[in-house]
Amino acid sequence: MESRTLTPQWSELSRLHASTCLSMTQFINGHYCPKLAYVIIQQLNRLLKHPDLDQASGSHEMYQQLLGQWQQINMELLQRKSEQKRLQMQIH
């Protein structure tokens, strides 16, 4: 296993990863909010663009897959929200 020195950039990458995991955990634990899903998408994009993330690594591929899944989740949440608003308008 390769040993890496914990530089400020690596520390930033680790914090961003941990923050993304926490946001996903909050979502999974019942906070099904499009805004939170959007934050997760932003965090995954920052991870993918981080200069210390090896583009050929398994981490890059994992973040790319997660990004696609969270984009789909966000789209579904926004569609549900739009549908709920449309139904409320019909009732009133």
Side-chain angles (χ1 to χ4, degrees), residues 2-11 52:
E2 184 179 324
S3 175
R4 297 188 189 225
T5 306
L6 201 57
T7 63
Q9 286 124 338
W10 272 105
S11 181
D52 286 339

Side-chain angles (χ1 to χ4, degrees), residues 11 15 18-19 30 37 46-47 53 65 73 75 84 89:
S11 181
R15 281 192 304 271
S19 175
R46 282 195 296 259
L47 282 163
L53 184 69
Q65 289 175 0
I73 290 167
M75 201 165 48
Q84 288 173 347
M89 296 293 285

Side-chain angles (χ1 to χ4, degrees), residues 14-24 26 40 43 46:
S14 295
R15 281 192 304 271
L16 184 54
H17 175 85
S19 175
T20 305
C21 289
L22 176 62
S23 296
M24 287 189 278
Q26 288 173 330
I40 293 167
Q43 290 170 320
R46 282 195 296 259

Side-chain angles (χ1 to χ4, degrees), residues 45-90:
N45 274 316
R46 282 195 296 259
L47 282 163
L48 285 164
K49 293 175 184 174
H50 197 282
D52 286 339
L53 184 69
D54 182 1
Q55 299 298 313
S57 72
S59 294
H60 186 270
E61 183 179 334
M62 176 191 67
Y63 292 138
Q64 193 66 48
Q65 289 175 0
L66 284 169
L67 177 61
Q69 292 169 350
W70 281 101
Q71 287 170 330
Q72 181 65 34
I73 290 167
N74 190 48
M75 201 165 48
E76 290 173 13
L77 288 171
L78 291 172
Q79 287 172 347
R80 272 192 221 155
K81 189 175 180 179
S82 176
E83 181 65 22
Q84 288 173 347
K85 283 184 180 182
R86 189 181 65 75
L87 291 173
Q88 287 176 349
M89 296 293 285
Q90 288 177 351

